[in-house]
Amino acid sequence: MNDVSMSPDRPALALQLHDVDVTFGGVRALQSVSLDVHVGGIHAVIGPNGAGKTTFFNAVSGMVRISGGEVLLNGERIDGWAANRIAAAGMARTFQNLAVFSNLTVRQNLLLGRHVQTRAGWFSAGMALPSARREAARQIEHVERVAHLVDLGHLLDSGGGDLSYGDRKRVEIGRALCMEPSVLLLDEPVAGMNSTETSRMAKLMRTIRDEMDITVLLVEHDMGMVMRLADHVTVLDFGRVVASGPPAAVQEDPKVIEAYLGVKGASDLLAGH
Ligand SMILES: Nc1ncnc2c1ncn2[C@@H]1O[C@H](COP(=O)(O)OP(=O)(O)OP(=O)(O)O)[C@@H](O)[C@H]1O
Ligand SMILES: [Mg+2]
């Protein structure tokens, strides 16, 4: 079924959707969505408000049930699986709204991401046991490595509530990376950020792609960023895929321009200004 032949343990397609439907009451939030996300690279999903971008993330990560079609992660059917099973199979995500615990430190927030990677109970199972202590030390070491990678190494002991907006977003991404995913879903990671924070975030996404061997799937409103950063762009409108391809081709697709008509400055947006 994969269109590129690769070794069986490393299929070329990280994520596949075949004719996926999601319905909320009378609203058809996704209509027969088919999409291939190739291993490696940054794949952006764009579209006007209400186009179904977040629903797409919710559907593939098991947070809403699909009413038709199939979803495959690294070649395996995952639709119908519970969200935690999908996470354990290698999909991690962040949310459109911040989800950092303000009463926990950065270190503790990141440790939550280790949950899927650990043998049951290391946290609660008698810390007096040397094996449990070794396991805890191993987890903390991993968390600290990730913290340095996402540029939070100096903030490990800070409270989640004391961080800047940009740093809280980095905690969310760090926590997702702590799960050691093969696919990372980021829902509007630079929304509400100033230009300095936005370029730091773009740099982090390139690091994740180039150095961590993780496929990044990105929902983003900042067109300039999408066009500069993404290797592949899919455009949703009214729950349907209207275009999918390299950024330069998508940018010039008349269907895409039409999807954005009515959005102020649509052509500027698409030109990345
Ligand atoms: N839980 C839900 N219950 C009912 N309707 C929903 C639910 N989630 C999404 N919808 C509807 O599905 C459609 C797609 O919404 P979705 O949040 O996926 O859009 P989006 O592309 O992420 O938009 P935005 O750019 O504003 O984040 C909208 O019409 C929305 O109102
Ligand atoms: Mg959304």
Side-chain angles (χ1 to χ4, degrees), residues 6-268:
M6 296 275 283
S7 62
D9 58 333
R10 189 69 194 268
L13 297 175
L15 191 64
Q16 293 158 270
L17 280 78
H18 300 146
D19 293 323
V20 169
D21 292 313
V22 171
T23 307
F24 297 115
V27 179
R28 298 185 68 193
L30 293 182
Q31 299 186 50
S32 199
V33 168
S34 292
L35 189 64
D36 286 344
V37 177
H38 290 258
V39 167
I42 297 176
H43 188 130
V45 178
I46 66 170
N49 290 118
K53 305 179 298 293
T54 297
T55 302
F56 167 80
F57 272 17
N58 288 341
V60 298
S61 60
M63 305 192 83
V64 304
R65 198 165 265 281
I66 66 174
S67 49
E70 297 179 352
V71 182
L72 290 85
L73 175 66
N74 297 317
E76 184 175 17
R77 274 289 289 272
I78 57 163
D79 49 272
W81 288 16
N84 59 352
R85 186 172 171 205
I86 295 175
M91 189 187 295
R93 69 172 291 185
T94 64
F95 293 87
Q96 192 165 353
N97 299 313
L98 278 170
V100 169
F101 294 96
S102 43
N103 54 339
L104 299 181
T105 64
V106 168
R107 183 182 283 97
Q108 289 167 328
N109 266 286
L110 294 179
L111 269 169
L112 293 174
R114 294 303 294 161
H115 179 69
V116 298
Q117 284 299 331
T118 51
R119 288 186 289 282
W122 68 269
F123 214 66
S124 52
M127 293 295 277
L129 290 174
S131 59
R133 275 207 306 273
R134 269 199 304 278
E135 178 70 2
R138 217 169 57 80
Q139 297 307 331
I140 287 169
E141 198 185 309
H142 186 97
V143 156
E144 293 184 353
R145 262 203 313 276
V146 170
H148 287 287
L149 198 99
V150 299
D151 214 1
L152 289 171
H154 58 301
L155 292 173
L156 276 160
D157 295 310
S158 302
D162 300 328
L163 304 176
S164 70
Y165 181 77
D167 283 334
R168 275 185 282 159
K169 271 283 170 198
R170 302 170 94 75
V171 171
E172 278 194 76
I173 294 178
R175 188 170 54 209
L177 291 173
C178 280
M179 296 166 66
E180 297 182 62
S182 58
V183 178
L184 176 64
L185 275 48
L186 304 175
D187 197 348
E188 302 202 22
V190 303
M193 285 190 178
N194 61 35
S195 61
T196 314
E197 287 174 327
T198 300
S199 29
R200 276 182 81 200
M201 189 57 84
K203 188 163 163 258
L204 173 58
M205 282 186 256
R206 287 196 182 93
T207 304
I208 294 169
R209 172 187 62 188
D210 300 338
E211 294 172 25
M212 300 187 77
D213 208 17
I214 293 172
T215 304
V216 178
L217 197 57
L218 171 74
V219 163
E220 193 43 72
H221 269 297
D222 182 333
M223 286 311 139
M225 176 162 172
V226 166
M227 295 304 167
R228 284 191 302 273
L229 194 63
D231 304 298
H232 193 103
V233 179
T234 296
V235 186
L236 287 180
D237 192 28
F238 293 111
R240 290 180 183 278
V241 174
V242 294
S244 201
V250 164
Q251 203 163 1
E252 285 169 8
D253 190 322
K255 290 195 295 296
V256 176
I257 296 167
E258 195 185 311
Y260 278 91
L261 279 182
V263 177
K264 196 167 150 287
S267 50
D268 279 357

